[in-house]
Every structure is written in structure tokens, then in C-alpha cells.
């Protein structure tokens, strides 16, 4: 299994250039590039060509553009915005050699029927799949374990991805989101491991289902998530691709960015290496 760094982990104490330098130095295989903030910030002073050259001359490679945000159940203007954003991401992915675009479902206070959510997700994902096909890029849908997210459990996202039934449409399994809304391990045991494109590793403080927020995340292995059962199940269903550490901890943003990147790797390897072959620090 390959090791990846998600830039949310150093969201407030680093930038893309520094993350790339430190992650390459400390032996990460991949990075997920935040397109909401870190990439635009980088492009104020440098170019996509310079970024592509960095990847061409260093060991670390780009895994995903993170993210296409709130892709489903949009009005006409919002739908057009999503399609235009995705097309732009395809060009960026082509220039950088990116494998995936992470797609995040709508978060809203509005109550939407589950069938209407599914219908919208399937329709949009089929269109995105057609757009992505010539680029060789895959779409990784990330369900979000929060009551206000329209797709917030493993079972729900798996049903959507199965219905779409395209080779270039799968999903992100984030351990925090799996835990946060009480997703069922039995559903994971019955899943097709090839539909999981990226594993996000993290942990969390022990708050009740429905109350957890991203700020509650802690180093892998230092919280309440049953990571052992998740990892064992993933291995049993044939997943062995990429594990990406993603934390949003405010306390960690106060630390030196390089120290966070080192600690993220150390804690991830300690947890994951019980089930997968990862190079030690």
C-alpha cells in the first residue's frame, strides 16, 4: 500500500510548496492537492508548469484534486458551475498527471428525500464519468459523516456508486466519516474493494454519533475509531491501494508543519502496518 498526505492536515500552518518539500523529504508517495485554497494560493506566484516539473523531478506524485464540492441536488446555475469546475479540473489533472478527483456531496439544512438525493447523484456522476473518460481520470465520491450531508453513510454511497456502475466512478472511504454516522461494518464486508479508490486514515475523540465534527480528529490510533476492524475488513475484500492521512485538528495547526507531517506518517504506519506493507519511518 502507498502512503499519501492530505493537505487538510496542515491547512493553517503550511502551503502547497512546503507540503511538497516536507512530504517528499519524509517519504510520502502521494499528495492530495486542495483545489479550494492551496492550489490557487500556489498559482498566485508559480505556474502549473512549475508544479508539473516538481512532480517530474521528485519522488512524490499527485494523487487527487480535492475537491469538487457539493455536486448533487443543485439548481440550474449550481449544476452548470459544477460541470464547468469539473472540466477545468480535468485540464489541471491532465497537466499534472493526477489520477482522481474527489467529489463531495451537498451539505445543506434542507430536507431532501433519499431517493431524490440518489437520483441526482447518479445523474451527475454519469455525466462527470463521460467527461472524465478521455482524460483517464477517476471520480472518488466522499460521503461525509455529518447529519447535514446528503450522502453521509457508507451504505448510501455504495448504493449510488453501484447504480452508476462505471469503472471510473468509485468512492473515498474516510475512517472518520465511516465512524461519525455509525456506518455498518457488515456493509463494508460485503463491498467490492475495487470500488474504493482512496482510504482516508484518521481517528477521533469519543463523541456520540451525529455530534462529531472534523475538528475532533486526532492522530491515527489515538482515538475511538475501531481502525483495526476497518483495516482488517479492507484487506479481506481486496483493497490495497493508497492510504491518505487527513486531519483537521486545530491544535495540530499550531505545530510546526514539518513536525505534523512526520507525526502523521509515524502514527499512520504504526496503525496500518499491522495489516499492510508500508515502509517504516
Amino acid at each position: 500500500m502507498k502512503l499519501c498526505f492530505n493537505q487538510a492536515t496542515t491547512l493553517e500552518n503550511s502551503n502547497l510548496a512546503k507540503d511538497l518539500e516536507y512530504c517528499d523529504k519524509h517519504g510520502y508517495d502521494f499528495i492530495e492537492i486542495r483545489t479550494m485554497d492551496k492550489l490557487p494560493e500556489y498559482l498566485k506566484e508559480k505556474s502549473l508548469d512549475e508544479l508539473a516539473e516538481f512532480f517530474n523531478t521528485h519522488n512524490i506524485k499527485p494523487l487527487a484534486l480535492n475537491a469538487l464540492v457539493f455536486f448533487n441536488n443543485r439548481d440550474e446555475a449550481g449544476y452548470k458551475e459544477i460541470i464547468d469546475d469539473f472540466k477545468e479540473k480535468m485540464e489541471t489533472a491532465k497537466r499534472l498527471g493526477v489520477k482522481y478527483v474527489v467529489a463531495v456531496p451537498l451539505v445543506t439544512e434542507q430536507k431532501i428525500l433519499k431517493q431524490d438525493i440518489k437520483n441526482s447523484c447518479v445523474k451527475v456522476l454519469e455525466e462527470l464519468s463521460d467527461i472524465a473518460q478521455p482524460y483517464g481520470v477517476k471520480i472518488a465520491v466522499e460521503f461525509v459523516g455529518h447529519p447535514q450531508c446528503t450522502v453521509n453513510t457508507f451504505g448510501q454511497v455504495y448504493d449510488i456508486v453501484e447504480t452508476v456502475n462505471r469503472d471510473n466512478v468509485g468512492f473515498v472511504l474516510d475512517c472518520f466519516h465511516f465512524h461519525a454516522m455509525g456506518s455498518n461494518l457488515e456493509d463494508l464486508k460485503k463491498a467490492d474493494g475495487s470500488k474504493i479508490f482512496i482510504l482516508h486514515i484518521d481517528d477521533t475523540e469519543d463523541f456520540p454519533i451525529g455530534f462529531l465534527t472534523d475538528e475532533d480528529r486526532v492522530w491515527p490510533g489515538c482515538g475511538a475509531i475501531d481502525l483495526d476492524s476497518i483495516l482488517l475488513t479492507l484487506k479481506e475484500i481486496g483493497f490495497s491501494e493508497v492510504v491518505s492521512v487527513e486531519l483537521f485538528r486545530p491544535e495540530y495547526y499550531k505545530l510546526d508543519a514539518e513536525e505534523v507531517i512526520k507525526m502523521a506518517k509515524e502514527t499512520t504506519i504504526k496503525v496500518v502496518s499491522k495489516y499492510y506493507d508500508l515502509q517504516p519511518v
Side-chain angles (χ1 to χ4, degrees):
M1 182 180 283
K2 299 296 186 181
L3 181 64
C4 180
F5 182 79
N6 184 293
Q7 286 197 280
T9 308
T10 50
L11 183 59
E12 296 179 10
N13 57 344
S14 189
N15 56 40
L16 179 53
K18 289 181 180 178
D19 284 345
L20 287 170
E21 176 190 347
Y22 297 147
C23 287
D24 191 63
K25 175 181 175 181
H26 293 287
Y28 284 81
D29 300 293
F30 293 107
I31 189 167
E32 289 187 73
I33 300 171
R34 281 182 63 93
T35 56
M36 302 88 78
D37 37 47
K38 296 302 183 185
L39 182 58
E41 178 188 36
Y42 177 93
L43 293 176
K44 288 179 181 178
E45 297 182 359
K46 298 186 178 183
S47 68
L48 275 181
D49 287 339
E50 288 176 281
L51 184 54
E53 181 61 19
F54 181 92
F55 289 126
N56 287 335
T57 56
H58 292 77
N59 290 324
I60 193 167
K61 304 302 177 190
L63 180 72
L65 300 178
N66 195 326
L68 183 73
V69 179
F70 304 163
F71 70 87
N72 58 297
N73 297 95
R74 303 291 295 272
D75 60 19
E76 186 175 346
Y79 175 75
K80 183 180 183 303
E81 181 182 326
I82 284 295
I83 297 301
D84 289 345
D85 184 10
F86 189 72
K87 289 178 178 177
E88 183 178 337
K89 282 179 167 55
M90 289 299 97
E91 294 300 325
T92 301
K94 180 180 179 180
R95 292 177 69 178
L96 298 180
V98 173
K99 297 181 177 183
Y100 302 105
V101 169
V102 175
V104 176
L106 179 67
V107 176
T108 179
E109 295 289 336
Q110 179 186 357
K111 294 171 71 174
I112 306 174
L113 292 171
K114 287 181 69 176
Q115 189 60 51
D116 291 338
I117 294 168
K118 178 179 177 179
N119 291 344
S120 175
C121 286
V122 170
K123 179 179 181 296
V124 177
L125 288 169
E126 286 177 344
E127 181 167 357
L128 298 180
S129 170
D130 289 339
I131 295 169
Q133 188 68 39
Y135 292 89
V137 175
K138 296 184 178 183
I139 303 153
V141 184
E142 182 168 11
F143 70 99
V144 176
H146 191 279
Q148 275 67 52
C149 186
T150 51
V151 182
N152 58 22
T153 66
F154 175 86
Q156 193 181 4
V157 78
Y158 192 78
D159 178 47
I160 290 166
V161 168
E162 271 202 314
T163 301
V164 173
N165 193 27
R166 302 281 183 91
D167 288 342
N168 66 346
V169 178
F171 60 93
V172 177
L173 175 58
D174 185 304
C175 297
F176 172 85
H177 293 315
F178 189 91
H179 173 87
M181 285 295 291
S183 288
N184 193 333
L185 191 66
E186 294 303 313
D187 289 338
L188 181 59
K189 290 178 179 179
K190 294 180 287 187
D192 177 358
S194 69
K195 293 295 185 182
I196 304 171
F197 290 164
I198 305 170
L199 171 64
H200 280 173
I201 193 80
D202 34 46
D203 216 324
T204 182
E205 293 183 281
D206 197 10
F207 294 112
I209 289 173
F211 285 88
L212 287 156
T213 64
D214 280 326
E215 292 184 349
D216 301 320
R217 299 186 188 211
V218 295
W219 306 116
C222 297
I225 300 177
D226 186 0
L227 294 175
D228 286 316
S229 292
I230 293 173
L231 290 165
L232 178 59
T233 301
L234 286 170
K235 187 164 188 179
E236 289 174 346
I237 64 173
F239 174 80
S240 61
E241 300 303 315
V242 179
V243 57
S244 182
V245 58
E246 183 187 40
L247 310 172
F248 288 85
R249 188 75 175 180
E251 289 93 326
Y252 301 168
Y253 296 149
K254 297 176 183 178
L255 302 175
D256 176 76
E258 184 173 10
E259 186 59 35
V260 171
I261 287 168
K262 288 172 60 180
M263 182 62 72
K265 180 180 178 181
E266 290 171 4
T267 54
T268 296
I269 286 180
K270 185 176 181 180
V271 171
V272 176
S273 62
K274 290 184 284 184
Y275 305 94
Y276 293 96
D277 181 24
L278 282 171
Q279 293 298 315
V281 177

